[in-house]
Amino acid sequence: MKGRVIKSTGSWYIVQVEDQVVSARLKGKFKQDELKLTNPIAVGDWVELETEAGQATAVISEILPRENYVIRKSTRKQHFSHIIASNLDQAILVITMKKPRTSLGFIDRFLVSTESFRIPAVLVVNKMDQLDGEVEEEWLQDIHEIYEPLGYPVVEISALTETGLMEKFLPLIQGKSNLIAGHSGVGKSTLLNALIPEARQETKEISGFSAKGVHTTTFAELFPLPEGGDLIDTPGIKEFGILDIEENELSHYFPEMRKYLGQCKYNNCTHVNEPGCVVLKKLEEGFIHPYRYQSYLNILEDEDSHR
């Protein structure tokens, strides 16, 4: 029988099979193709199950091919990767100006990961009720000016007061399979509880000492939306290490650079200091935002240091 993994707790998986939920475990060790994974099965995976004789549980005998996934480097095991979620229609990144602050570099690394599988991404600015002062207004303006022209919608909400949730956010996610990600403390669980009260995700106050979030979601879990579609809630992410990408391939995952590919003098142009580089020319002319180009250089540098 076929089902979709809706929760992973490490060694056991909760699988939705039509209108019933089944606890299942892996049948032996699965061969991982080119990827070394800390999690052979991810929430969102479609799997084949075999029932166990005399048991209410089942074993997963096959992982069906993934349409796409969002993946990052494992923070625990070197040279390993972790699939955050799979078979997605859309990826939602929840960001905040403060407590905790989401850096542009973090946003760009997440977007590179979604672009690598052409997964549409949406930036959700939460805690709008806490936005106060000129510096914060400038940060918000930067988010709109940098990302909206690239095709990434920017939605302003306050999950705590439910401002913007039903009229702005809900229409974007209904009928789709959505990943929801972000730093710990950005309000993912509060957002989920407001949209799906039966989810009852635990929430905690931000640590006053560090102004950083405290992990409340410990395992990824898929929740059905009332009007169709679903949200996959994930544990908070401190850093987003992207997988090994060739230096002349990275620009493919920056939409503002992708449109100029093939126009440079050299086919293997890395858009750093090569003569006849169209990307550098467009940067000088203001068609590529300097913040985004700096993120591109930072990712290139990180990848070089790991080669």
Side-chain angles (χ1 to χ4, degrees):
M1 55 184 175
K2 178 182 171 183
R4 194 176 186 203
V5 178
I6 62 171
K7 187 173 184 178
S8 162
T9 59
S11 54
W12 283 88
Y13 303 91
I14 310 300
V15 183
Q16 184 81 44
V17 182
E18 294 179 351
D19 57 352
Q20 61 175 325
V21 171
V22 179
S23 291
R25 58 183 175 81
L26 270 176
K27 183 179 182 180
K29 285 195 175 179
F30 274 79
K31 204 174 162 186
Q32 300 299 334
D33 304 320
E34 318 89 41
L35 296 172
K36 284 185 171 179
L37 297 172
T38 55
N39 58 330
I41 294 179
V43 170
D45 278 349
W46 288 95
V47 295
E48 287 288 349
L49 299 170
E50 295 174 2
T51 54
E52 296 188 279
Q55 304 284 331
T57 56
V59 291
I60 296 170
S61 57
E62 184 184 356
I63 306 168
L64 300 177
R66 296 175 177 116
E67 186 178 322
N68 57 39
Y69 49 83
V70 174
I71 191 168
R72 68 180 177 120
K73 286 181 180 174
S74 170
T75 54
R76 296 179 182 175
K77 292 180 79 173
Q78 196 175 10
H79 306 305
F80 274 73
S81 305
H82 182 85
I83 294 181
I84 298 173
S86 68
N87 298 314
L88 303 164
D89 296 318
Q90 187 167 253
I92 313 289
L93 184 65
V94 182
I95 63 176
T96 46
M97 164 62 197
K98 59 183 180 182
K99 297 184 178 180
R101 183 186 176 93
T102 307
S103 71
L104 296 181
F106 180 86
I107 296 171
D108 292 334
R109 287 168 184 273
F110 181 83
L111 293 177
V112 165
S113 183
T114 60
E115 282 289 341
S116 67
F117 272 104
R118 300 291 187 265
I119 301 169
V122 177
L123 301 181
V124 173
V125 184
N126 193 21
K127 304 187 183 181
M128 284 298 297
D129 54 313
Q130 296 179 20
L131 217 62
D132 182 31
E134 194 175 320
V135 174
E136 296 175 14
E137 289 295 337
E138 285 177 3
W139 175 86
L140 182 62
Q141 188 176 338
D142 282 343
I143 296 295
H144 281 281
E145 287 181 358
I146 293 170
Y147 296 104
E148 284 183 325
L150 302 177
Y152 302 116
V154 177
V155 182
E156 300 174 11
I157 66 163
S158 174
L160 201 59
T161 61
E162 299 192 13
T163 305
L165 274 191
M166 300 306 168
E167 65 273 28
K168 292 181 184 177
F169 184 59
L170 193 57
L172 276 175
I173 62 173
Q174 280 181 329
K176 298 174 183 174
S177 188
N178 305 272
L179 163 69
I180 185 165
H183 288 313
S184 297
V186 294
K188 297 189 307 298
S189 296
T190 305
L191 173 58
L192 190 69
N193 289 343
L195 291 172
I196 312 168
E198 57 271 25
R200 294 188 299 277
Q201 292 294 82
E202 184 185 357
T203 60
K204 286 186 181 177
E205 292 295 318
I206 298 297
S207 163
F209 176 73
S210 64
K212 290 183 179 175
V214 180
H215 289 287
T216 50
T217 303
T218 52
F219 298 107
E221 186 168 1
L222 182 152
F223 297 94
L225 288 165
E227 301 297 321
D230 54 70
L231 268 180
I232 299 177
D233 189 25
T234 57
I237 303 167
K238 284 185 181 177
E239 298 173 0
F240 203 98
I242 60 175
L243 284 189
D244 301 331
I245 292 175
E246 295 300 321
E247 57 183 15
N248 60 349
E249 184 188 336
L250 179 61
S251 54
H252 291 246
Y253 308 135
F254 280 75
E256 65 272 59
M257 295 186 191
R258 190 162 61 222
K259 64 173 82 169
Y260 304 120
L261 298 182
Q263 298 179 33
C264 296
K265 184 176 179 180
Y266 299 105
N267 289 335
N268 60 348
C269 188
T270 60
H271 321 299
V272 177
N273 51 23
E274 295 91 339
C277 174
V278 174
V279 169
L280 289 176
K281 183 172 179 283
K282 294 299 179 181
L283 174 68
E284 288 174 12
E285 293 173 352
F287 291 100
I288 294 172
H289 201 289
Y291 282 169
R292 285 277 290 175
Y293 183 71
Q294 188 56 54
S295 278
Y296 171 79
L297 292 180
N298 291 345
I299 295 170
L300 266 188
E301 191 177 321
D302 284 353
E303 289 302 299
D304 282 343
S305 68
H306 286 102
R307 283 192 177 95

